Structure formats: C-alpha cells, structure tokens
PDB file of all heavy atoms in Angstrom:
ATOM      1  N   PHE A   1     128.698 -25.456  18.714  1.00 85.00           N
ATOM      2  CA  PHE A   1     127.821 -26.010  19.783  1.00 85.00           C
ATOM      3  C   PHE A   1     126.676 -25.026  20.063  1.00 85.00           C
ATOM      4  O   PHE A   1     125.538 -25.445  20.702  1.00 85.00           O
ATOM      5  CB  PHE A   1     128.504 -26.343  21.040  1.00 85.00           C
ATOM      6  CG  PHE A   1     129.600 -27.389  20.875  1.00 85.00           C
ATOM      7  CD1 PHE A   1     130.991 -27.064  20.787  1.00 85.00           C
ATOM      8  CD2 PHE A   1     129.194 -28.747  20.464  1.00 85.00           C
ATOM      9  CE1 PHE A   1     131.858 -28.147  20.651  1.00 85.00           C
ATOM     10  CE2 PHE A   1     130.100 -29.794  20.284  1.00 85.00           C
ATOM     11  CZ  PHE A   1     131.516 -29.374  20.303  1.00 85.00           C
ATOM     12  N   THR A   2     126.840 -23.780  19.860  1.00 87.00           N
ATOM     13  CA  THR A   2     125.618 -22.733  20.179  1.00 87.00           C
ATOM     14  C   THR A   2     124.393 -22.931  19.239  1.00 87.00           C
ATOM     15  O   THR A   2     123.336 -22.567  19.551  1.00 87.00           O
ATOM     16  CB  THR A   2     126.181 -21.370  19.949  1.00 87.00           C
ATOM     17  OG1 THR A   2     126.421 -20.991  18.610  1.00 87.00           O
ATOM     18  CG2 THR A   2     127.342 -21.169  20.810  1.00 87.00           C
ATOM     19  N   GLU A   3     124.646 -23.706  18.090  1.00 87.00           N
ATOM     20  CA  GLU A   3     123.514 -23.957  17.220  1.00 87.00           C
ATOM     21  C   GLU A   3     122.707 -25.162  17.646  1.00 87.00           C
ATOM     22  O   GLU A   3     121.595 -25.334  17.295  1.00 87.00           O
ATOM     23  CB  GLU A   3     124.015 -24.182  15.758  1.00 87.00           C
ATOM     24  CG  GLU A   3     124.510 -23.014  15.029  1.00 87.00           C
ATOM     25  CD  GLU A   3     124.948 -23.179  13.630  1.00 87.00           C
ATOM     26  OE1 GLU A   3     125.059 -24.450  13.267  1.00 87.00           O
ATOM     27  OE2 GLU A   3     125.112 -22.248  12.940  1.00 87.00           O
ATOM     28  N   THR A   4     123.431 -26.013  18.500  1.00 88.00           N
ATOM     29  CA  THR A   4     122.662 -27.264  18.873  1.00 88.00           C
ATOM     30  C   THR A   4     122.387 -27.334  20.362  1.00 88.00           C
ATOM     31  O   THR A   4     121.603 -28.153  20.840  1.00 88.00           O
ATOM     32  CB  THR A   4     123.475 -28.467  18.383  1.00 88.00           C
ATOM     33  OG1 THR A   4     124.775 -28.355  19.042  1.00 88.00           O
ATOM     34  CG2 THR A   4     123.572 -28.459  16.847  1.00 88.00           C
ATOM     35  N   ASN A   5     123.110 -26.612  21.133  1.00 90.00           N
ATOM     36  CA  ASN A   5     123.078 -26.750  22.686  1.00 90.00           C
ATOM     37  C   ASN A   5     122.380 -25.424  23.158  1.00 90.00           C
ATOM     38  O   ASN A   5     122.751 -24.331  22.991  1.00 90.00           O
ATOM     39  CB  ASN A   5     124.301 -26.954  23.168  1.00 90.00           C
ATOM     40  CG  ASN A   5     124.269 -27.198  24.661  1.00 90.00           C
ATOM     41  OD1 ASN A   5     124.128 -26.323  25.465  1.00 90.00           O
ATOM     42  ND2 ASN A   5     124.534 -28.350  25.114  1.00 90.00           N
ATOM     43  N   ASP A   6     121.266 -25.606  23.834  1.00 91.00           N
ATOM     44  CA  ASP A   6     120.466 -24.496  24.443  1.00 91.00           C
ATOM     45  C   ASP A   6     121.250 -23.617  25.374  1.00 91.00           C
ATOM     46  O   ASP A   6     121.219 -22.333  25.278  1.00 91.00           O
ATOM     47  CB  ASP A   6     119.280 -24.936  25.074  1.00 91.00           C
ATOM     48  CG  ASP A   6     118.178 -25.254  24.110  1.00 91.00           C
ATOM     49  OD1 ASP A   6     118.175 -24.945  22.992  1.00 91.00           O
ATOM     50  OD2 ASP A   6     117.101 -25.968  24.491  1.00 91.00           O
ATOM     51  N   ILE A   7     122.073 -24.144  26.277  1.00 92.00           N
ATOM     52  CA  ILE A   7     122.909 -23.448  27.281  1.00 92.00           C
ATOM     53  C   ILE A   7     123.852 -22.538  26.489  1.00 92.00           C
ATOM     54  O   ILE A   7     124.136 -21.375  26.891  1.00 92.00           O
ATOM     55  CB  ILE A   7     123.669 -24.287  28.228  1.00 92.00           C
ATOM     56  CG1 ILE A   7     122.509 -25.085  29.116  1.00 92.00           C
ATOM     57  CG2 ILE A   7     124.454 -23.641  29.118  1.00 92.00           C
ATOM     58  CD1 ILE A   7     123.112 -26.083  30.028  1.00 92.00           C
ATOM     59  N   PHE A   8     124.683 -23.152  25.604  1.00 92.00           N
ATOM     60  CA  PHE A   8     125.736 -22.407  24.897  1.00 92.00           C
ATOM     61  C   PHE A   8     124.999 -21.322  24.045  1.00 92.00           C
ATOM     62  O   PHE A   8     125.520 -20.148  23.884  1.00 92.00           O
ATOM     63  CB  PHE A   8     126.432 -23.394  23.974  1.00 92.00           C
ATOM     64  CG  PHE A   8     127.432 -24.128  24.694  1.00 92.00           C
ATOM     65  CD1 PHE A   8     127.529 -25.567  24.554  1.00 92.00           C
ATOM     66  CD2 PHE A   8     128.314 -23.704  25.763  1.00 92.00           C
ATOM     67  CE1 PHE A   8     128.442 -26.315  25.264  1.00 92.00           C
ATOM     68  CE2 PHE A   8     129.112 -24.418  26.405  1.00 92.00           C
ATOM     69  CZ  PHE A   8     129.190 -25.849  26.156  1.00 92.00           C
ATOM     70  N   CYS A   9     123.824 -21.668  23.510  1.00 92.00           N
ATOM     71  CA  CYS A   9     123.139 -20.666  22.632  1.00 92.00           C
ATOM     72  C   CYS A   9     122.726 -19.412  23.465  1.00 92.00           C
ATOM     73  O   CYS A   9     123.057 -18.299  23.116  1.00 92.00           O
ATOM     74  CB  CYS A   9     121.939 -21.296  22.042  1.00 92.00           C
ATOM     75  SG  CYS A   9     120.780 -20.206  21.234  1.00 92.00           S
ATOM     76  N   LYS A  10     122.101 -19.700  24.609  1.00 92.00           N
ATOM     77  CA  LYS A  10     121.722 -18.614  25.528  1.00 92.00           C
ATOM     78  C   LYS A  10     122.903 -17.739  26.155  1.00 92.00           C
ATOM     79  O   LYS A  10     122.875 -16.585  25.998  1.00 92.00           O
ATOM     80  CB  LYS A  10     120.918 -19.167  26.732  1.00 92.00           C
ATOM     81  CG  LYS A  10     119.718 -19.902  26.347  1.00 92.00           C
ATOM     82  CD  LYS A  10     119.074 -20.670  27.457  1.00 92.00           C
ATOM     83  CE  LYS A  10     117.754 -21.421  27.247  1.00 92.00           C
ATOM     84  NZ  LYS A  10     116.719 -20.673  26.664  1.00 92.00           N
ATOM     85  N   LEU A  11     124.007 -18.434  26.474  1.00 93.00           N
ATOM     86  CA  LEU A  11     125.165 -17.741  26.897  1.00 93.00           C
ATOM     87  C   LEU A  11     125.795 -16.790  25.783  1.00 93.00           C
ATOM     88  O   LEU A  11     126.167 -15.661  26.052  1.00 93.00           O
ATOM     89  CB  LEU A  11     126.138 -18.740  27.573  1.00 93.00           C
ATOM     90  CG  LEU A  11     125.743 -19.261  28.883  1.00 93.00           C
ATOM     91  CD1 LEU A  11     126.734 -20.353  29.301  1.00 93.00           C
ATOM     92  CD2 LEU A  11     125.547 -18.241  29.962  1.00 93.00           C
ATOM     93  N   ARG A  12     125.867 -17.356  24.647  1.00 93.00           N
ATOM     94  CA  ARG A  12     126.570 -16.631  23.585  1.00 93.00           C
ATOM     95  C   ARG A  12     125.692 -15.383  23.300  1.00 93.00           C
ATOM     96  O   ARG A  12     126.208 -14.353  23.107  1.00 93.00           O
ATOM     97  CB  ARG A  12     126.607 -17.503  22.363  1.00 93.00           C
ATOM     98  CG  ARG A  12     127.138 -16.779  21.152  1.00 93.00           C
ATOM     99  CD  ARG A  12     126.649 -17.412  19.840  1.00 93.00           C
ATOM    100  NE  ARG A  12     127.156 -16.604  18.638  1.00 93.00           N
ATOM    101  CZ  ARG A  12     126.849 -17.003  17.378  1.00 93.00           C
ATOM    102  NH1 ARG A  12     126.100 -18.036  17.208  1.00 93.00           N
ATOM    103  NH2 ARG A  12     127.336 -16.173  16.387  1.00 93.00           N
ATOM    104  N   ALA A  13     124.311 -15.591  23.102  1.00 91.00           N
ATOM    105  CA  ALA A  13     123.453 -14.435  22.878  1.00 91.00           C
ATOM    106  C   ALA A  13     123.549 -13.357  23.859  1.00 91.00           C
ATOM    107  O   ALA A  13     123.622 -12.153  23.628  1.00 91.00           O
ATOM    108  CB  ALA A  13     122.001 -14.912  22.661  1.00 91.00           C
ATOM    109  N   PHE A  14     123.416 -13.782  25.070  1.00 94.00           N
ATOM    110  CA  PHE A  14     123.560 -12.793  26.245  1.00 94.00           C
ATOM    111  C   PHE A  14     124.799 -12.046  26.303  1.00 94.00           C
ATOM    112  O   PHE A  14     124.705 -10.760  26.368  1.00 94.00           O
ATOM    113  CB  PHE A  14     123.207 -13.573  27.535  1.00 94.00           C
ATOM    114  CG  PHE A  14     123.436 -12.796  28.782  1.00 94.00           C
ATOM    115  CD1 PHE A  14     122.496 -11.741  29.094  1.00 94.00           C
ATOM    116  CD2 PHE A  14     124.469 -12.925  29.651  1.00 94.00           C
ATOM    117  CE1 PHE A  14     122.677 -11.016  30.182  1.00 94.00           C
ATOM    118  CE2 PHE A  14     124.725 -12.162  30.717  1.00 94.00           C
ATOM    119  CZ  PHE A  14     123.803 -11.175  31.123  1.00 94.00           C
ATOM    120  N   ILE A  15     126.021 -12.769  26.234  1.00 95.00           N
ATOM    121  CA  ILE A  15     127.117 -12.051  26.372  1.00 95.00           C
ATOM    122  C   ILE A  15     127.429 -11.185  25.125  1.00 95.00           C
ATOM    123  O   ILE A  15     127.977 -10.007  25.315  1.00 95.00           O
ATOM    124  CB  ILE A  15     128.347 -13.163  26.476  1.00 95.00           C
ATOM    125  CG1 ILE A  15     128.220 -13.942  27.839  1.00 95.00           C
ATOM    126  CG2 ILE A  15     129.668 -12.356  26.393  1.00 95.00           C
ATOM    127  CD1 ILE A  15     129.092 -15.203  27.882  1.00 95.00           C
ATOM    128  N   THR A  16     127.142 -11.593  23.959  1.00 93.00           N
ATOM    129  CA  THR A  16     127.450 -10.938  22.661  1.00 93.00           C
ATOM    130  C   THR A  16     126.473  -9.509  22.746  1.00 93.00           C
ATOM    131  O   THR A  16     127.040  -8.478  22.480  1.00 93.00           O
ATOM    132  CB  THR A  16     127.161 -11.666  21.441  1.00 93.00           C
ATOM    133  OG1 THR A  16     127.976 -12.875  21.432  1.00 93.00           O
ATOM    134  CG2 THR A  16     127.520 -10.923  20.283  1.00 93.00           C
ATOM    135  N   PHE A  17     125.291  -9.724  22.963  1.00 92.00           N
ATOM    136  CA  PHE A  17     124.331  -8.557  22.942  1.00 92.00           C
ATOM    137  C   PHE A  17     124.687  -7.592  24.089  1.00 92.00           C
ATOM    138  O   PHE A  17     124.647  -6.352  23.825  1.00 92.00           O
ATOM    139  CB  PHE A  17     122.944  -8.960  22.950  1.00 92.00           C
ATOM    140  CG  PHE A  17     122.320  -9.456  21.774  1.00 92.00           C
ATOM    141  CD1 PHE A  17     122.641 -10.591  21.160  1.00 92.00           C
ATOM    142  CD2 PHE A  17     121.442  -8.647  21.067  1.00 92.00           C
ATOM    143  CE1 PHE A  17     122.057 -10.975  19.992  1.00 92.00           C
ATOM    144  CE2 PHE A  17     120.840  -9.011  19.875  1.00 92.00           C
ATOM    145  CZ  PHE A  17     121.227 -10.169  19.253  1.00 92.00           C
ATOM    146  N   THR A  18     124.996  -8.083  25.221  1.00 95.00           N
ATOM    147  CA  THR A  18     125.271  -7.209  26.454  1.00 95.00           C
ATOM    148  C   THR A  18     126.618  -6.453  26.132  1.00 95.00           C
ATOM    149  O   THR A  18     126.626  -5.176  26.352  1.00 95.00           O
ATOM    150  CB  THR A  18     125.397  -8.101  27.676  1.00 95.00           C
ATOM    151  OG1 THR A  18     124.221  -8.797  27.944  1.00 95.00           O
ATOM    152  CG2 THR A  18     125.758  -7.184  28.814  1.00 95.00           C
ATOM    153  N   SER A  19     127.618  -7.113  25.695  1.00 95.00           N
ATOM    154  CA  SER A  19     128.888  -6.457  25.463  1.00 95.00           C
ATOM    155  C   SER A  19     128.793  -5.450  24.332  1.00 95.00           C
ATOM    156  O   SER A  19     129.397  -4.443  24.491  1.00 95.00           O
ATOM    157  CB  SER A  19     130.057  -7.496  25.153  1.00 95.00           C
ATOM    158  OG  SER A  19     129.648  -8.306  24.095  1.00 95.00           O
ATOM    159  N   ARG A  20     128.008  -5.746  23.291  1.00 92.00           N
ATOM    160  CA  ARG A  20     127.924  -4.833  22.196  1.00 92.00           C
ATOM    161  C   ARG A  20     127.188  -3.551  22.581  1.00 92.00           C
ATOM    162  O   ARG A  20     127.486  -2.370  22.335  1.00 92.00           O
ATOM    163  CB  ARG A  20     127.140  -5.500  20.968  1.00 92.00           C
ATOM    164  CG  ARG A  20     127.054  -4.612  19.712  1.00 92.00           C
ATOM    165  CD  ARG A  20     126.424  -5.374  18.619  1.00 92.00           C
ATOM    166  NE  ARG A  20     127.263  -6.436  18.200  1.00 92.00           N
ATOM    167  CZ  ARG A  20     126.901  -7.464  17.691  1.00 92.00           C
ATOM    168  NH1 ARG A  20     125.604  -7.761  17.561  1.00 92.00           N
ATOM    169  NH2 ARG A  20     127.755  -8.466  17.328  1.00 92.00           N
ATOM    170  N   THR A  21     126.127  -3.745  23.524  1.00 94.00           N
ATOM    171  CA  THR A  21     125.359  -2.608  24.008  1.00 94.00           C
ATOM    172  C   THR A  21     126.256  -1.710  24.962  1.00 94.00           C
ATOM    173  O   THR A  21     126.146  -0.485  24.810  1.00 94.00           O
ATOM    174  CB  THR A  21     124.161  -3.137  24.777  1.00 94.00           C
ATOM    175  OG1 THR A  21     123.285  -3.910  23.937  1.00 94.00           O
ATOM    176  CG2 THR A  21     123.350  -2.004  25.347  1.00 94.00           C
ATOM    177  N   VAL A  22     126.993  -2.453  25.761  1.00 95.00           N
ATOM    178  CA  VAL A  22     127.987  -1.586  26.637  1.00 95.00           C
ATOM    179  C   VAL A  22     129.026  -0.812  25.779  1.00 95.00           C
ATOM    180  O   VAL A  22     129.280   0.338  26.058  1.00 95.00           O
ATOM    181  CB  VAL A  22     128.716  -2.586  27.523  1.00 95.00           C
ATOM    182  CG1 VAL A  22     129.902  -1.968  28.275  1.00 95.00           C
ATOM    183  CG2 VAL A  22     127.764  -3.224  28.548  1.00 95.00           C
ATOM    184  N   ALA A  23     129.463  -1.451  24.669  1.00 94.00           N
ATOM    185  CA  ALA A  23     130.540  -0.812  23.905  1.00 94.00           C
ATOM    186  C   ALA A  23     129.932   0.378  23.163  1.00 94.00           C
ATOM    187  O   ALA A  23     130.592   1.547  23.256  1.00 94.00           O
ATOM    188  CB  ALA A  23     131.060  -1.770  22.868  1.00 94.00           C
ATOM    189  N   LEU A  24     128.745   0.249  22.642  1.00 92.00           N
ATOM    190  CA  LEU A  24     128.100   1.463  22.047  1.00 92.00           C
ATOM    191  C   LEU A  24     127.733   2.453  23.012  1.00 92.00           C
ATOM    192  O   LEU A  24     127.876   3.720  22.780  1.00 92.00           O
ATOM    193  CB  LEU A  24     126.779   0.925  21.231  1.00 92.00           C
ATOM    194  CG  LEU A  24     127.141   0.277  20.023  1.00 92.00           C
ATOM    195  CD1 LEU A  24     125.787  -0.369  19.351  1.00 92.00           C
ATOM    196  CD2 LEU A  24     127.786   1.192  18.844  1.00 92.00           C
ATOM    197  N   SER A  25     127.277   2.239  24.167  1.00 93.00           N
ATOM    198  CA  SER A  25     126.715   3.136  25.161  1.00 93.00           C
ATOM    199  C   SER A  25     127.916   3.814  25.832  1.00 93.00           C
ATOM    200  O   SER A  25     127.764   5.112  26.049  1.00 93.00           O
ATOM    201  CB  SER A  25     126.093   2.400  26.313  1.00 93.00           C
ATOM    202  OG  SER A  25     124.910   1.776  25.850  1.00 93.00           O
ATOM    203  N   LEU A  26     129.125   3.214  25.923  1.00 93.00           N
ATOM    204  CA  LEU A  26     130.281   3.994  26.315  1.00 93.00           C
ATOM    205  C   LEU A  26     130.697   4.914  25.355  1.00 93.00           C
ATOM    206  O   LEU A  26     131.267   6.008  25.759  1.00 93.00           O
ATOM    207  CB  LEU A  26     131.437   2.932  26.620  1.00 93.00           C
ATOM    208  CG  LEU A  26     131.131   2.006  27.818  1.00 93.00           C
ATOM    209  CD1 LEU A  26     132.264   0.989  28.000  1.00 93.00           C
ATOM    210  CD2 LEU A  26     131.118   2.893  29.205  1.00 93.00           C
ATOM    211  N   ILE A  27     130.642   4.681  24.095  1.00 90.00           N
ATOM    212  CA  ILE A  27     131.008   5.741  23.043  1.00 90.00           C
ATOM    213  C   ILE A  27     130.039   6.840  23.115  1.00 90.00           C
ATOM    214  O   ILE A  27     130.328   7.977  22.985  1.00 90.00           O
ATOM    215  CB  ILE A  27     131.020   5.114  21.643  1.00 90.00           C
ATOM    216  CG1 ILE A  27     132.123   3.986  21.529  1.00 90.00           C
ATOM    217  CG2 ILE A  27     131.245   6.194  20.657  1.00 90.00           C
ATOM    218  CD1 ILE A  27     133.482   4.555  21.856  1.00 90.00           C
ATOM    219  N   MET A  28     128.824   6.537  23.442  1.00 91.00           N
ATOM    220  CA  MET A  28     127.740   7.552  23.690  1.00 91.00           C
ATOM    221  C   MET A  28     128.160   8.434  24.875  1.00 91.00           C
ATOM    222  O   MET A  28     128.015   9.734  24.810  1.00 91.00           O
ATOM    223  CB  MET A  28     126.327   6.983  23.941  1.00 91.00           C
ATOM    224  CG  MET A  28     125.267   7.957  24.110  1.00 91.00           C
ATOM    225  SD  MET A  28     123.662   7.128  24.461  1.00 91.00           S
ATOM    226  CE  MET A  28     123.949   6.429  26.114  1.00 91.00           C
ATOM    227  N   LEU A  29     128.515   7.804  25.962  1.00 92.00           N
ATOM    228  CA  LEU A  29     129.103   8.643  27.164  1.00 92.00           C
ATOM    229  C   LEU A  29     130.249   9.397  26.732  1.00 92.00           C
ATOM    230  O   LEU A  29     130.367  10.690  27.313  1.00 92.00           O
ATOM    231  CB  LEU A  29     129.304   7.559  28.304  1.00 92.00           C
ATOM    232  CG  LEU A  29     128.212   6.991  29.011  1.00 92.00           C
ATOM    233  CD1 LEU A  29     128.790   6.102  30.167  1.00 92.00           C
ATOM    234  CD2 LEU A  29     127.270   7.970  29.543  1.00 92.00           C
ATOM    235  N   ALA A  30     131.124   8.974  25.923  1.00 88.00           N
ATOM    236  CA  ALA A  30     132.256   9.687  25.415  1.00 88.00           C
ATOM    237  C   ALA A  30     131.755  10.965  24.698  1.00 88.00           C
ATOM    238  O   ALA A  30     132.475  12.156  24.857  1.00 88.00           O
ATOM    239  CB  ALA A  30     133.194   8.899  24.634  1.00 88.00           C
ATOM    240  N   THR A  31     130.955  10.831  23.861  1.00 88.00           N
ATOM    241  CA  THR A  31     130.341  12.125  23.222  1.00 88.00           C
ATOM    242  C   THR A  31     129.670  13.083  24.192  1.00 88.00           C
ATOM    243  O   THR A  31     129.906  14.225  24.101  1.00 88.00           O
ATOM    244  CB  THR A  31     129.326  11.735  22.074  1.00 88.00           C
ATOM    245  OG1 THR A  31     128.209  11.035  22.712  1.00 88.00           O
ATOM    246  CG2 THR A  31     129.939  10.904  21.114  1.00 88.00           C
ATOM    247  N   TYR A  32     129.060  12.545  25.290  1.00 89.00           N
ATOM    248  CA  TYR A  32     128.504  13.390  26.230  1.00 89.00           C
ATOM    249  C   TYR A  32     129.704  14.100  27.007  1.00 89.00           C
ATOM    250  O   TYR A  32     129.613  15.274  27.344  1.00 89.00           O
ATOM    251  CB  TYR A  32     127.755  12.484  27.194  1.00 89.00           C
ATOM    252  CG  TYR A  32     127.252  13.213  28.525  1.00 89.00           C
ATOM    253  CD1 TYR A  32     126.263  14.175  28.529  1.00 89.00           C
ATOM    254  CD2 TYR A  32     127.929  13.073  29.572  1.00 89.00           C
ATOM    255  CE1 TYR A  32     125.899  14.885  29.649  1.00 89.00           C
ATOM    256  CE2 TYR A  32     127.609  13.831  30.800  1.00 89.00           C
ATOM    257  CZ  TYR A  32     126.579  14.659  30.847  1.00 89.00           C
ATOM    258  OH  TYR A  32     126.283  15.435  32.012  1.00 89.00           O
ATOM    259  N   GLU A  33     130.835  13.307  27.266  1.00 87.00           N
ATOM    260  CA  GLU A  33     131.947  13.922  28.049  1.00 87.00           C
ATOM    261  C   GLU A  33     132.487  14.962  27.224  1.00 87.00           C
ATOM    262  O   GLU A  33     132.913  16.016  27.671  1.00 87.00           O
ATOM    263  CB  GLU A  33     132.937  12.841  28.314  1.00 87.00           C
ATOM    264  CG  GLU A  33     133.874  13.191  29.383  1.00 87.00           C
ATOM    265  CD  GLU A  33     135.177  13.808  28.784  1.00 87.00           C
ATOM    266  OE1 GLU A  33     135.277  13.673  27.485  1.00 87.00           O
ATOM    267  OE2 GLU A  33     135.853  14.493  29.447  1.00 87.00           O
ATOM    268  N   ARG A  34     132.674  14.830  25.912  1.00 82.00           N
ATOM    269  CA  ARG A  34     133.272  15.857  25.031  1.00 82.00           C
ATOM    270  C   ARG A  34     132.328  17.069  24.931  1.00 82.00           C
ATOM    271  O   ARG A  34     132.692  18.108  24.904  1.00 82.00           O
ATOM    272  CB  ARG A  34     133.376  15.190  23.491  1.00 82.00           C
ATOM    273  CG  ARG A  34     134.490  14.241  23.345  1.00 82.00           C
ATOM    274  CD  ARG A  34     135.838  14.814  23.656  1.00 82.00           C
ATOM    275  NE  ARG A  34     136.180  14.795  24.920  1.00 82.00           N
ATOM    276  CZ  ARG A  34     137.233  15.360  25.557  1.00 82.00           C
ATOM    277  NH1 ARG A  34     137.918  16.221  24.862  1.00 82.00           N
ATOM    278  NH2 ARG A  34     137.474  15.278  26.868  1.00 82.00           N
ATOM    279  N   TRP A  35     131.054  16.781  25.091  1.00 85.00           N
ATOM    280  CA  TRP A  35     130.038  18.024  25.016  1.00 85.00           C
ATOM    281  C   TRP A  35     130.150  18.753  26.229  1.00 85.00           C
ATOM    282  O   TRP A  35     130.393  20.196  26.159  1.00 85.00           O
ATOM    283  CB  TRP A  35     128.684  17.484  24.826  1.00 85.00           C
ATOM    284  CG  TRP A  35     127.562  18.536  25.114  1.00 85.00           C
ATOM    285  CD1 TRP A  35     127.504  19.646  24.409  1.00 85.00           C
ATOM    286  CD2 TRP A  35     126.547  18.463  26.107  1.00 85.00           C
ATOM    287  NE1 TRP A  35     126.410  20.400  24.902  1.00 85.00           N
ATOM    288  CE2 TRP A  35     125.756  19.704  25.965  1.00 85.00           C
ATOM    289  CE3 TRP A  35     126.094  17.564  27.089  1.00 85.00           C
ATOM    290  CZ2 TRP A  35     124.713  20.064  26.796  1.00 85.00           C
ATOM    291  CZ3 TRP A  35     125.058  17.909  27.950  1.00 85.00           C
ATOM    292  CH2 TRP A  35     124.341  19.115  27.710  1.00 85.00           C
ATOM    293  N   ILE A  36     130.242  18.235  27.449  1.00 87.00           N
ATOM    294  CA  ILE A  36     130.318  19.013  28.662  1.00 87.00           C
ATOM    295  C   ILE A  36     131.784  19.660  28.720  1.00 87.00           C
ATOM    296  O   ILE A  36     131.864  20.744  29.257  1.00 87.00           O
ATOM    297  CB  ILE A  36     130.154  18.118  29.960  1.00 87.00           C
ATOM    298  CG1 ILE A  36     131.096  17.019  29.973  1.00 87.00           C
ATOM    299  CG2 ILE A  36     128.680  17.616  29.925  1.00 87.00           C
ATOM    300  CD1 ILE A  36     130.888  16.244  31.387  1.00 87.00           C
ATOM    301  N   MET A  37     132.754  19.015  28.204  1.00 82.00           N
ATOM    302  CA  MET A  37     134.148  19.652  28.206  1.00 82.00           C
ATOM    303  C   MET A  37     134.165  20.788  27.324  1.00 82.00           C
ATOM    304  O   MET A  37     135.028  21.637  27.468  1.00 82.00           O
ATOM    305  CB  MET A  37     135.223  18.598  27.790  1.00 82.00           C
ATOM    306  CG  MET A  37     135.597  17.655  28.898  1.00 82.00           C
ATOM    307  SD  MET A  37     136.342  18.585  30.314  1.00 82.00           S
ATOM    308  CE  MET A  37     137.777  19.338  29.630  1.00 82.00           C
ATOM    309  N   SER A  38     133.405  20.898  26.236  1.00 78.00           N
ATOM    310  CA  SER A  38     133.365  22.015  25.309  1.00 78.00           C
ATOM    311  C   SER A  38     132.542  23.103  25.896  1.00 78.00           C
ATOM    312  O   SER A  38     132.502  24.236  25.207  1.00 78.00           O
ATOM    313  CB  SER A  38     132.798  21.673  23.929  1.00 78.00           C
ATOM    314  OG  SER A  38     131.393  21.191  24.058  1.00 78.00           O
ATOM    315  N   SER A  39     131.740  23.032  26.982  1.00 79.00           N
ATOM    316  CA  SER A  39     130.935  23.971  27.481  1.00 79.00           C
ATOM    317  C   SER A  39     131.668  25.179  28.128  1.00 79.00           C
ATOM    318  O   SER A  39     132.877  24.836  28.671  1.00 79.00           O
ATOM    319  CB  SER A  39     130.016  23.414  28.554  1.00 79.00           C
ATOM    320  OG  SER A  39     129.305  24.454  29.262  1.00 79.00           O
TER     321      SER A  39
END
C-alpha cells in the first residue's frame, strides 16, 4: 500500500529514514564514548 497510498508512503519513508539515522548516530556516539573512556 505504500506504493499507491500517499499517507502510507510518507509514514514509511519518515519512520524508516528516521530510525536508520538514529541507529547509525547511536553507534557514532558509542565510538565517542569509547574514545573518552580511553583517555
């Protein structure tokens, strides 16, 4: 339905892109946390 319905399309894109950005950014924060712990 995301291919034919605008509402489902918008929600799917927003949730998928947002969650993926959060996941990658949290791993970036984990590398920052490892850096300060090694100081």
Side-chain angles (χ1 to χ4, degrees):
F1 296 110
T2 65
E3 291 184 346
T4 56
N5 185 285
D6 280 344
I7 294 177
F8 288 131
C9 168
K10 295 173 187 292
L11 288 176
R12 175 204 178 184
F14 172 71
I15 294 172
T16 303
F17 277 73
T18 301
S19 57
R20 184 175 295 151
T21 304
V22 170
L24 287 170
S25 299
L26 290 174
I27 297 302
M28 180 184 69
L29 287 182
T31 59
Y32 170 77
E33 196 273 340
R34 289 297 88 195
W35 171 55
I36 61 176
M37 279 301 295
S38 66
S39 173

